[in-house]
Amino acid sequence: MRSLSTRLAHVRLIEPVVHSDARGFFLESYREDLLAGLGICDLFVQDNHSRSRRGTVRGMHFQPGMAKLIRCARGAVYDVVVDVRIDSPAFGQWEGFELTDTNHRQVYCPDGFAHGFCVVSDEADLVYKTSAYWNPDTESAFAYDDPELSIAWPAGLELTASARDAAAPRLSALVDRLRDLREPPPGPASVTEQVSR
């Protein structure tokens, strides 16, 4: 595995070693010791898997105490992270990455960053690890189309969001909440609650 350059500090774009031949390919999508060598030392406690149609946008979601390791197992997505650390000089800055089932890249989204993506293929499976259990009491979201952030989602797509994501506020409206939030104790949420996201 190697880490490719990124603009945002602590965010990692990871490229695995892929062994391919006429039969297909093999790669290591997670290996603790190699990731630790890249500065990723989180203990991941949960795996999530979403399938979405072209134009689906999910985000921007974040939860104090939660880091994510994200890859696209099928299809292609445009994956975006935003710095939401209230005292960071990069607060509100974003970076986007193309994740596909052919480039096999992964994004490490550290604690203190929000995550979202949109599907650019006909259908896509996004799989990701989290370093904390989802907690509906502390998870937050802001608008994927926040005009103050001007995230450049891929052109030519009619973006479709959940009712919750479509109604999410601007990031600037969450500043007080960001100051008040504390890392929650881990606790599992039901599958039904998570699917509604």
Side-chain angles (χ1 to χ4, degrees):
M1 292 182 180
R2 65 177 182 142
S3 181
L4 305 177
S5 62
T6 60
R7 286 188 297 100
L8 293 176
H10 312 297
V11 172
R12 298 282 184 271
L13 180 62
I14 301 159
E15 189 170 71
V17 175
V18 181
H19 305 276
S20 55
D21 58 27
R23 300 168 300 161
F25 70 85
F26 171 85
L27 61 85
E28 293 177 338
S29 61
Y30 178 79
R31 184 165 159 167
E32 184 179 18
D33 61 341
L34 294 182
L35 289 170
L38 300 177
I40 300 170
C41 299
D42 302 85
L43 172 64
F44 292 104
V45 299
Q46 182 174 325
D47 277 351
N48 297 328
H49 183 158
S50 70
R51 176 168 293 168
S52 309
R53 296 178 179 175
R54 179 178 175 83
T56 296
V57 60
R58 299 181 188 266
M60 302 295 300
H61 304 148
F62 64 95
Q63 179 177 308
M66 180 185 284
K68 297 178 181 178
L69 184 63
I70 306 139
R71 67 189 181 95
C72 182
R74 185 169 71 108
V77 304
Y78 186 67
D79 202 79
V80 174
V81 294
V82 177
D83 190 337
V84 295
R85 298 170 298 167
I86 196 68
D87 297 321
S88 168
F91 177 77
Q93 293 182 22
W94 64 272
E95 189 166 3
F97 308 94
E98 183 182 44
L99 304 182
T100 75
D101 60 10
T102 54
N103 71 20
H104 304 294
R105 291 175 175 173
Q106 300 184 68
V107 169
Y108 172 66
C109 177
D111 180 22
F113 288 74
H115 172 253
F117 69 95
C118 75
V119 177
V120 297
S121 55
D122 288 341
E123 198 170 60
D125 286 17
L126 197 81
V127 293
Y128 60 99
K129 297 180 177 299
T130 65
S131 66
Y133 299 109
W134 178 66
N135 185 331
D137 295 328
T138 58
E139 193 219 22
S140 294
F142 58 87
Y144 69 91
D145 57 354
D146 185 336
E148 296 170 359
L149 303 185
S150 298
I151 296 172
W153 297 104
L157 289 177
E158 184 177 341
L159 298 181
T160 305
S162 69
R164 175 195 167 206
D165 286 350
R170 294 182 180 189
L171 177 59
S172 59
L174 300 178
V175 168
D176 289 341
R177 179 172 170 77
L178 287 167
R179 286 195 180 101
D180 294 341
L181 282 175
R182 298 292 182 264
E183 183 174 334
S190 73
V191 170
T192 303
E193 290 174 311
Q194 294 187 49
V195 167
S196 68
R197 294 185 290 155

